[in-house]
Amino acid sequence: MKLTIGHLYPELLNLYGDRGNIQCMMKRSLWRGIEAETIAFGLEDSIDFSKLDIVLLGGGSDREQRIVCSRLRDIRENFHHYVEDGGSVLAVCGGYQLLGHYYKTEEDTLEGLSLVDLYTEQGEGRLIQNIVLQSELFDMPIVGFENHGGRTCINNNKPLGKVLYGAGNDGKSGYEGVVYKNVIGTYLHGPLLPKNPQLADWLIQHALERKYGKETELTPLDDSQEKEANDYIYHRFVRG
Ligand code: GLN
């Protein structure tokens, strides 16, 4: 078995170690004897989505998002087919915002990919803090760090989780992120996946199922250290 991960525009969308998400998925695959490779795409590269099993869009500043935006129209249609076909995607912060219809800043409105029915508008002040969620997808809480000026409205989509500590999508709905088909959009940096191995495995599992069929089962790994760290954060911010 083999997974190919597409890393979109890492020279622009790579805040707070979002690249660590790639390393985490690579390692967790390799440790299980699943071959894994990553292809990094620059703005000038053409992307063959049919070759990809997981796509990562990391976070970026408004300036970097603006640059990436100029390229989105060219990839939108193929990316849309990939998502509708069940392709796995992890989109973090700036990348999450770009999944939606638009990101409206004080200066302008950046047109997004419209892959998920959501939109983002800049609010007053930035939402910067540690964040803890409870997701319906997992027993273990999801932990991370958020830093965004945009407030995201996910319309009727399912959120990634309920906010136990922190601001989340807009600081008031009480929810964070989005889950649409096999796409996860979230404001959590950190990077997200090494802190939340359950999420990394969710992406890997869905990618393998799409490629090789439903019977794929992931060999359990020793996540005791990750669980301990997760538990520490949960108790520090939620149960403190
Ligand atoms: N520029 C976006 C915002 O501030 C996203 C920032 C990020 O990716 N951390 O909302």
Side-chain angles (χ1 to χ4, degrees):
M1 287 196 288
K2 181 176 175 184
L3 287 179
T4 302
I5 303 169
H7 193 179
L8 267 54
Y9 316 129
E11 77 279 18
L12 291 160
L13 302 179
N14 182 31
L15 277 180
Y16 316 120
D18 284 342
R19 192 187 297 272
N21 291 319
I22 297 275
Q23 281 151 354
C24 178
M25 289 188 284
M26 292 282 290
K27 278 288 184 195
R28 295 184 73 81
S29 300
L30 295 170
W31 284 332
R32 294 172 160 121
I34 302 162
E35 258 186 88
E37 67 163 345
T38 297
I39 307 174
F41 296 98
L43 273 192
E44 303 309 320
D45 298 331
S46 61
I47 304 173
D48 182 354
F49 283 92
S50 71
K51 298 258 184 320
L52 304 180
D53 304 305
I54 301 177
V55 170
L56 176 80
L57 267 172
S61 65
D62 291 0
R63 187 190 65 82
E64 290 160 328
Q65 284 173 283
R66 211 163 272 129
I67 300 170
V68 166
C69 257
S70 62
R71 193 71 170 106
L72 294 185
R73 196 166 298 185
D74 307 326
I75 64 165
R76 183 182 298 158
E77 199 182 324
N78 290 338
F79 204 168
H80 172 80
H81 288 308
Y82 170 83
V83 165
E84 292 304 309
D85 185 50
S88 294
V89 178
L90 174 64
V92 179
C93 202
Y96 170 33
Q97 296 170 343
L98 295 178
L99 287 183
H101 303 302
Y102 65 84
Y103 170 38
K104 189 172 185 305
T105 72
E106 265 173 20
E107 284 162 51
D108 51 8
T109 299
L110 309 183
E111 198 183 337
L113 288 156
S114 286
L115 300 179
V116 183
D117 180 23
L118 59 85
Y119 63 89
T120 304
E121 295 184 352
Q122 206 167 52
E124 222 172 280
R126 298 188 67 79
L127 305 171
I128 309 173
Q129 61 206 308
N130 287 288
I131 174 162
V132 182
L133 317 176
Q134 189 63 59
S135 173
E136 278 179 15
L137 300 176
F138 318 106
D139 293 335
M140 191 161 125
I142 298 175
V143 300
F145 177 78
E146 60 181 325
N147 180 355
H148 50 110
R151 273 60 165 176
T152 298
C153 169
I154 62 169
N155 291 319
N156 291 323
N157 284 296
K158 263 175 58 174
L160 174 60
K162 203 170 167 354
V163 176
L164 302 181
Y165 182 89
N169 279 336
D170 57 7
K172 26 177 220 242
S173 67
Y175 291 100
E176 203 287 324
V178 76
V179 182
Y180 171 74
K181 291 185 181 260
N182 292 334
V183 178
I184 289 187
T186 177
Y187 274 113
L188 274 62
H189 292 281
L192 173 70
L193 298 182
K195 292 181 174 180
N196 300 283
Q198 72 281 25
L199 210 45
D201 284 356
W202 188 93
L203 291 161
I204 294 170
Q205 172 99 39
H206 282 85
L208 289 175
E209 282 174 358
R210 171 168 171 259
K211 197 166 184 182
Y212 298 105
K214 282 280 170 202
E215 65 286 350
T216 322
E217 241 186 67
L218 290 185
T219 318
L221 298 174
D222 175 11
D223 291 329
S224 45
Q225 289 190 345
E226 288 84 347
K227 284 184 181 142
E228 221 175 287
N230 188 291
D231 205 47
Y232 173 79
I233 292 296
Y234 176 76
H235 280 92
R236 180 168 163 199
F237 292 111
V238 183
R239 279 289 154 91

